[in-house]
């Protein structure tokens, strides 16, 4: 028995040793151990300095750790090297947007145009990029009108989402109505999204609206019973 356990341990050890630094980084990343993953991805990048997936992972880790400058640097490298990749532009815009939220309003003003440009570029490159259109919906709602914010612009991208995914389209329209406190209209859109998707996300959005915005605990209770039952 002891010898058998030694053999199993040896096989496991050899398997681990055979893994590349990139594979080890991926394992730690999936386990949400960002620092450990970062160590292996940085080692992998020293061996293969131009590996885009490794650079992307490092950008993702920087984002998880809210190190927006590092994330911007990683994604900036990728979108410069692969200018036709919508996802890199989206992630670059997202990191820039999060940095804008973390600095003073004065400094944020200098970032907004780059954030918008990155998202628009991603939308142009990929007509079915859902996350980019969600980002544009939220950006145009949150921006003051003087800086380009506009409900009509947000609706434009909600309509584009509707053409890609009915669930996302109805969710986006509900989000816009909820933002402007048109809660009855928001409910109608969230209900349609939930009827189609019936997912945890659609349930949570509708439940939150009932419980905290409409203050209708009975509807919230029934929805919870139906979803969990």
């Amino acid at each position: 028995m002891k010898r058998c356990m030694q053999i199993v341990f040896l096989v496991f050890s050899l398997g681990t040793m055979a893994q590349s630094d990139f594979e080890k980084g991926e394992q730690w990343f999936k386990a949400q151990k960002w620092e450990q993953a970062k160590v292996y991805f940085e080692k992998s990048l020293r061996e293969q300095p131009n590996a885009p997936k490794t650079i992307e992972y490092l950008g993702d880790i920087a984002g998880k750790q809210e190190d927006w400058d590092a994330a911007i640097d990683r994604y900036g490298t990728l979108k410069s090297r692969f200018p036709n990749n919508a996802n890199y532009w989206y992630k670059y815009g997202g990191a820039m947007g999060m940095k804008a939220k973390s600095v003073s309003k004065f400094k944020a003003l200098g970032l907004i145009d780059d954030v918008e440009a990155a998202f628009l570029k991603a939308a142009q490159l990929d007509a079915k990029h859902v996350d980019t259109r969600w980002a544009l919906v939220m950006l145009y709602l949150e921006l003051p009108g003087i800086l380009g914010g506009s409900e009509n612009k947000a609706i434009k991208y909600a309509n584009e989402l509707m053409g890609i995914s009915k669930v996302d389209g109805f969710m986006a329209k509900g989000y816009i109505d909820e933002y402007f406190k048109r809660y009855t209209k928001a409910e109608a859109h969230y209900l349609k999204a939930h009827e189609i998707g019936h997912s945890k996300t659609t349930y949570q959005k509708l439940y939150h609206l009932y419980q905290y915005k409409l203050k209708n605990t009975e509807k919230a209770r029934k929805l919870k019973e139906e979803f969990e039952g």
Side-chain angles (χ1 to χ4, degrees):
M1 183 66 181
K2 184 178 179 181
R3 181 176 177 79
C4 181
M5 291 298 293
Q6 288 175 335
I7 292 172
V8 170
F9 178 76
L10 178 62
V11 169
F12 178 80
S13 299
L14 287 171
T16 304
M17 289 172 62
Q19 282 185 314
S20 67
D21 288 326
F22 179 84
E23 290 169 329
K24 291 175 185 176
E26 276 195 316
Q27 281 193 338
W28 285 115
F29 187 89
K30 289 173 184 175
Q32 299 184 18
K33 301 294 184 181
W34 314 126
E35 274 302 320
Q36 292 92 325
K38 182 179 177 181
V39 168
Y40 284 108
F41 283 133
E42 286 179 339
K43 286 174 67 178
S44 179
L45 196 63
R46 286 195 290 271
E47 296 163 7
Q48 295 181 307
N50 296 316
K53 192 62 184 175
T54 307
I55 297 171
E56 184 176 5
Y57 269 128
L58 286 167
D60 293 346
I61 291 169
K64 297 290 186 183
Q65 297 179 325
E66 299 185 7
D67 185 350
W68 306 121
D69 285 330
I72 290 166
D73 181 64
R74 297 296 188 185
Y75 298 141
T77 296
L78 290 172
K79 61 99 174 169
S80 295
R81 285 177 52 200
F82 304 96
N84 294 321
N85 186 303
N87 209 43
Y88 294 156
W89 280 98
Y90 162 71
K91 288 190 173 186
Y92 177 75
M96 292 281 285
M98 293 307 296
K99 180 176 179 177
K101 288 186 175 183
S102 69
V103 298
S104 69
K105 290 184 178 180
F106 180 76
K107 289 183 179 178
L109 286 174
L111 301 173
I112 294 302
D113 285 348
D114 288 337
V115 174
E116 182 184 19
F119 287 151
L120 289 174
K121 182 68 174 179
Q124 175 195 341
L125 288 169
D126 187 346
K128 294 185 177 181
H129 202 286
V130 169
D131 289 340
T132 291
R133 282 157 178 82
W134 263 110
L136 284 163
V137 167
M138 291 186 280
L139 178 68
Y140 288 130
L141 286 182
E142 293 175 13
L143 276 181
I146 195 171
L147 296 178
S150 162
E151 182 182 0
N152 286 336
K153 289 180 182 178
I155 290 171
K156 174 182 185 294
Y157 289 101
N159 287 336
E160 288 191 12
L161 280 169
M162 188 69 76
I164 303 167
S165 160
K166 293 292 185 186
V167 172
D168 283 286
F170 283 122
M171 288 286 280
K173 287 178 179 290
Y175 183 87
I176 293 168
D177 284 325
E178 184 179 355
Y179 184 87
F180 289 106
K181 299 182 180 180
R182 299 188 294 253
Y183 297 139
T184 303
K185 287 186 176 181
E187 177 190 9
H189 285 125
Y190 287 152
L191 275 169
K192 288 178 181 176
H194 189 56
E195 286 169 5
I196 299 168
H198 203 71
S199 67
K200 185 177 180 180
T201 300
T202 58
Y203 156 71
Q204 287 178 336
K205 202 66 181 174
L206 188 54
Y207 181 87
H208 185 274
L209 183 76
Y210 285 149
Q211 187 75 11
Y212 301 107
K213 301 297 174 66
L214 289 170
K215 307 292 184 181
N216 192 324
T217 55
E218 181 61 19
K219 279 189 174 182
R221 183 188 64 77
K222 285 184 178 180
L223 177 69
K224 186 175 182 180
E225 286 179 357
E226 289 170 6
F227 187 73
E228 295 181 348

